[in-house]
């Protein structure tokens, strides 16, 4: 015989029904259990992704009574098919161009100091660079920069942009950069000892980048201070894996790379 379990909860103790609200893109809600507040950027497979005002993303299940909308409890549901969606963007924040083909490489180039710099630039600006036809190469240091620039032979139709680490007043890098002078060459830099520091500590999951004593290899010192294995190649791959977009990078690097791209692609 089938058992019968009637709901004996008194009507006044039953939770009142709440409205169901489509999780449309840009709808701002607060998740009730965590207090995380953000705008909807994606809804799929029973989950919703919110982005807060700092650019942080969190994924939440769309459970009944799971969100607050203007202070009222609501249940988010999947929006109807055909609802407007936010334009897709590249990792650099540019509007993506679906199906765009890479442009034939320009004569101009962007040079960066090392392989890690090149990989980070590719990670964030790769889509934009391919559309613009800009090739990024790395130098393995800037000691020979004046000779490299002279050998490149910059010209109005073949501009050269150079990104230098630790380009601060009085540094070795600043003295080398000052020896390069041409209207078709732009040398810019960031203040960090190494491009690792241009990744926001919060994105890597650390409170801050350690201060490494002078005379000690900086990357090895960072690994040691953070308790990571002293394998700088593996450490960099871990750091790079945490970079998903321009929001994971410090503004001091973002502005310089954008400046170089504008310079080498100017008519």
């Amino acid at each position: 015989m089938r058992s019968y379990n009637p709901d004996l909860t008194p009507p006044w103790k039953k939770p009142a029904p709440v409205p169901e609200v489509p999780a449309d893109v840009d709808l701002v809600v607060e998740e009730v259990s965590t207090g995380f507040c953000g705008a909807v950027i994606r809804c799929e497979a029973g989950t919703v992704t919110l982005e807060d005002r700092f650019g942080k993303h969190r994924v939440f299940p769309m459970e009944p009574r799971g969100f607050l909308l203007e202070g009222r409890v609501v249940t988010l549901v999947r929006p109807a098919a055909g609802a407007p969606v936010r334009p897709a963007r590249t990792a650099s924040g540019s509007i993506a161009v679906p199906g765009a083909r890479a442009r034939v490489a320009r004569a101009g180039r962007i040079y960066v100091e090392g392989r890690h710099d090149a990989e980070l630039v590719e990670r964030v600006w790769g889509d934009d660079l391919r559309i613009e036809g800009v090739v990024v190469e790395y130098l393995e240091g800037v000691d020979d920069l004046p000779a490299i620039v002279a050998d490149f032979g910059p010209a109005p139709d073949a501009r050269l942009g150079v990104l230098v680490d630790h380009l601060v007043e009085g540094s070795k890098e600043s003295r080398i950069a000052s020896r390069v002078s041409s209207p078709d060459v732009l040398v810019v830099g960031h203040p960090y000892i190494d491009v690792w520091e241009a990744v926001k500590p919060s994105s890597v999951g650390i409170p801050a980048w350690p201060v490494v004593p002078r005379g000690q290899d900086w990357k090895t010192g960072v690994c040691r201070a953070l308790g990571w294995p002293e394998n700088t190649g593996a450490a960099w791959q871990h750091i790079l894996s945490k970079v998903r977009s321009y929001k994971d990078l410090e503004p001091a690097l973002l502005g310089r790379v954008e400046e170089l791209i504008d310079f080498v692609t100017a008519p």
Side-chain angles (χ1 to χ4, degrees), residues 10-243:
W12 59 87
K13 289 189 176 182
K14 293 182 178 180
V18 300
E20 293 186 345
V21 177
D24 293 326
V25 169
D26 290 333
L27 178 74
V28 177
V29 294
E30 178 182 335
E31 203 275 331
V32 295
S33 63
T34 63
F36 186 91
C37 183
V40 174
I41 62 171
R42 188 178 304 110
C43 178
E44 56 189 1
T47 65
V48 63
T49 303
L50 304 183
E51 179 183 63
D52 72 6
R53 62 191 182 94
F54 302 107
K56 184 177 181 180
H57 293 184
R58 292 279 299 273
V59 180
F60 297 102
M62 292 196 298
E63 296 179 343
R65 309 174 66 88
F67 299 86
L68 295 176
L69 175 62
E70 297 180 348
R72 297 181 57 193
V73 177
V74 298
T75 296
L76 290 186
V77 296
R78 193 159 189 167
V85 296
R86 178 183 295 177
R89 293 186 177 271
T90 67
S92 72
S94 302
I95 295 178
V97 183
R101 299 179 63 182
R103 177 175 174 165
V104 175
R106 295 173 182 266
R109 291 287 187 275
I110 291 177
Y111 285 167
V112 297
E113 278 206 47
R115 181 170 59 84
H116 292 180
D117 306 70
E119 290 177 344
L120 187 60
V121 170
E122 164 62 27
R123 182 84 165 194
V124 176
W125 288 275
D127 290 339
D128 304 327
L129 293 168
R130 279 183 283 278
I131 289 176
E132 294 289 351
V134 178
V135 175
V136 175
E137 300 180 9
Y138 64 90
L139 303 171
E140 297 184 346
V142 294
D143 289 354
D144 298 323
L145 181 60
I148 291 170
V149 171
D151 184 64
F152 180 84
D157 60 347
R159 289 181 164 187
L160 181 61
V162 184
L163 179 69
V164 178
D165 295 346
H166 200 226
L167 191 62
V168 296
E169 186 176 353
S171 67
K172 177 192 75 171
E173 291 80 4
S174 67
R175 291 192 294 272
I176 293 172
S178 68
R179 294 163 53 194
V180 177
S181 177
S182 167
D184 301 311
V185 178
L186 176 64
V187 180
V188 299
H190 56 74
Y192 309 112
I193 294 174
D194 189 274
V195 77
W196 289 19
E197 279 193 294
V199 180
K200 291 180 178 178
S202 57
S203 297
V204 183
I206 58 177
W209 288 106
V211 176
V212 177
R214 291 178 64 88
Q216 185 178 137
D217 178 73
W218 189 84
K219 292 176 182 176
T220 302
V222 166
C223 292
R224 189 174 297 145
L226 293 176
W228 296 350
E230 294 182 19
N231 180 332
T232 58
W236 170 242
Q237 290 307 313
H238 169 71
I239 296 165
L240 186 62
S241 72
K242 302 301 182 181
V243 177

